[in-house]
Amino acid sequence: MNILVLNCGSSSLKYQLINMDDEKVLAKGLCERIGINGSLLTHQKIGEEKFTIKQPMPTHNEAVKLVFDVLVDKDHGVIKSSDEIDAIGHRVLHGGTKFTESIVVDEKVKETIKECFDLGPLHNPANLMGIVACEKNVPGKKNVAVFDTTFGMGMEEKAFLYAIPYEYYEKYGIRRYGFHGTSHKYVSGEAIKFSKLDPKNAKVIVCHLGNGASISASIGGRCVDTSMGLTPLEGLIMGTRSGDIDPSIIQYICNKENKSVDEVLNILNKKSGILGLSNGLSSDFRDIENAMNEGNHRAKVAMDAYIHVIVKYIGGYIAIMNGVDAICFTAGVGENDKYTRKVICDNFTYIGLKLDDKLNDIRGEFREISASDSKVKVLLLPTNEELAIARETLRLM
Ligand code: ADP
């Protein structure tokens, strides 16, 4: 049973073909610069060298066609024909209030994904194009939409409503949705399995710390709160996103700098975060840490502020859950950066959390990194959104 997973961005398309009998990846790749000069596909049959094809891809349709061609290519392919693909799982960014679960795509589902274009203007149109391209290139296959927002749909009203006039929720669906939902669900689920926690009551906090970053709290796998909101801008300090700010700052900058709201939001999304705090030094956490270690004060403050907010969220989530069984670190920084994990964990010795510094001295490997007598488990748990999407697709077949 083979499932193809597609993740379409505005000008890119990532894919993996996974054999669900053993959950092993057969091939994976990336189409870049879709709709731009110089489109290229990088493909890898697992166990072999990567290879690239430079070929115009004016739209996602040509990109999807090329992916199917390369998967059956006699030298670089891994299957004989598209008949060997049993279903296709699509990552879709925003499901609005309409989708509380992954769903098999039909005409109505496509219409609803379209209705959510306003909520995910960069991603949802590309996600839909990927679905339509699959319907066109390999007709008759089951397409499944897996939304980034469905994990957050588990929240109660007290956690997902903003304290603004209720009519805006009723009219426009303005609420906290949360993103990276596939990752939060996967990591919290794996943590419960690995640490043999009570599947119904386990209290788990997942820190998804990449360039985009978010944090979630769940009880028995059900999301009770998460840091991203209507859009991915809210919450933690990120590579280039500000995270939480006083909304009045937007009006203040508009007036002082004679800018439009759109321009200021662009600054909050693309020029803020550690890039902004470090006075433009870098949005890459490795650069910031290197500069900090060389004595750069702005880099040190950026790193301290980044960690300060994460600690504040973890503390808040422990309070609303009245405890925590496991804290998991995942994504680029979470999986690779022992310094960040250590400084965060050192703030929670008061609840009996003990990190084992030797076990923490690792990158990118699934492992428990807390001491054996720690009251809270700490896990380094690499996320695998593609596998999570493939599992959801299989579940709906
Ligand atoms: P996204 O998917 O949001 O683009 P990733 O999960 O790929 O993000 O994470 C990218 C981030 O991880 C980058 O900012 C990078 O600096 C950071 N990162 C990767 N390795 C390390 C490391 N060893 N130390 C600190 N940060 C790291």
Side-chain angles (χ1 to χ4, degrees), residues 327-365:
I327 298 178
C328 311
F329 290 96
T330 196
V333 182
E335 290 170 27
N336 292 301
D337 187 11
K338 63 180 178 187
Y339 168 80
T340 298
R341 293 192 299 260
K342 163 92 178 135
V343 181
I344 292 170
C345 288
D346 280 353
N347 281 278
F348 295 98
T349 50
Y350 76 96
I351 53 163
L353 185 156
K354 276 192 214 162
L355 194 71
D356 182 316
D357 289 341
K358 275 213 183 91
L359 293 175
N360 184 40
D361 191 7
I362 185 136
R363 292 180 52 180
E365 265 181 44

Side-chain angles (χ1 to χ4, degrees), residues 180 208-212 283-286 289 331-333 336-337 363:
H180 298 135
H208 179 112
L209 308 177
N211 217 303
S283 63
D284 192 298
F285 288 88
R286 285 164 291 201
E289 263 188 68
V333 182
N336 292 301
D337 187 11
R363 292 180 52 180

Side-chain angles (χ1 to χ4, degrees), residues 167-233:
E167 64 181 280
Y168 296 135
Y169 170 64
E170 291 182 304
K171 282 201 280 192
Y172 310 121
I174 295 178
R175 55 162 278 170
R176 172 184 312 287
Y177 288 95
F179 296 84
H180 298 135
T182 311
S183 173
H184 287 287
K185 184 176 169 190
Y186 172 81
V187 173
S188 55
E190 292 297 297
I192 290 172
K193 271 195 264 169
F194 178 81
S195 298
K196 298 192 176 59
L197 301 174
D198 174 359
K200 287 216 168 69
N201 300 303
K203 296 170 180 175
V204 179
I205 293 175
V206 174
C207 307
H208 179 112
L209 308 177
N211 217 303
S214 63
I215 180 163
S216 71
S218 61
I219 300 182
R222 185 186 170 97
C223 178
V224 293
D225 208 347
T226 188
S227 60
M228 283 177 167
L230 175 76
T231 74
L233 184 56

Side-chain angles (χ1 to χ4, degrees), residues 5-24:
V5 176
L6 288 191
N7 180 354
C8 293
S10 50
S11 66
S12 69
L13 183 168
K14 282 191 222 152
Y15 63 93
Q16 280 192 8
L17 184 66
I18 304 177
N19 177 348
M20 294 310 286
D21 299 333
D22 55 6
E23 298 194 332
K24 289 253 158 65

Side-chain angles (χ1 to χ4, degrees), residues 90-247:
H90 299 261
R91 182 226 179 193
V92 180
L93 181 85
H94 218 303
T97 52
K98 302 281 174 18
F99 297 110
T100 51
E101 277 217 64
S102 312
I103 193 161
V104 177
V105 175
D106 60 15
E107 288 307 312
K108 193 158 173 283
V109 168
K110 284 192 284 180
E111 258 324 295
T112 314
I113 293 175
K114 218 182 209 170
E115 285 165 22
C116 299
F117 277 9
D118 272 359
L119 289 166
L122 291 180
H123 293 83
N124 272 40
N127 302 149
L128 184 60
M129 276 192 270
I131 293 172
V132 172
C134 287
E135 290 177 334
K136 208 161 148 189
N137 285 284
V138 281
K141 297 260 179 249
K142 196 163 266 190
N143 289 284
V144 171
V146 179
F147 301 91
D148 244 37
T149 46
T150 50
F151 182 67
M153 295 309 279
M155 283 183 279
E156 290 180 32
E157 282 184 299
K158 66 180 176 189
F160 77 66
L161 281 179
Y162 291 110
I164 58 175
Y166 185 65
E167 64 181 280
Y168 296 135
Y169 170 64
E170 291 182 304
K171 282 201 280 192
Y172 310 121
I174 295 178
R175 55 162 278 170
R176 172 184 312 287
Y177 288 95
F179 296 84
H180 298 135
T182 311
S183 173
H184 287 287
K185 184 176 169 190
Y186 172 81
V187 173
S188 55
E190 292 297 297
I192 290 172
K193 271 195 264 169
F194 178 81
S195 298
K196 298 192 176 59
L197 301 174
D198 174 359
K200 287 216 168 69
N201 300 303
K203 296 170 180 175
V204 179
I205 293 175
V206 174
C207 307
H208 179 112
L209 308 177
N211 217 303
S214 63
I215 180 163
S216 71
S218 61
I219 300 182
R222 185 186 170 97
C223 178
V224 293
D225 208 347
T226 188
S227 60
M228 283 177 167
L230 175 76
T231 74
L233 184 56
E234 193 182 354
L236 305 180
I237 293 173
M238 311 182 208
T240 61
R241 294 192 193 114
S242 63
D244 299 332
I245 60 162
D246 177 346

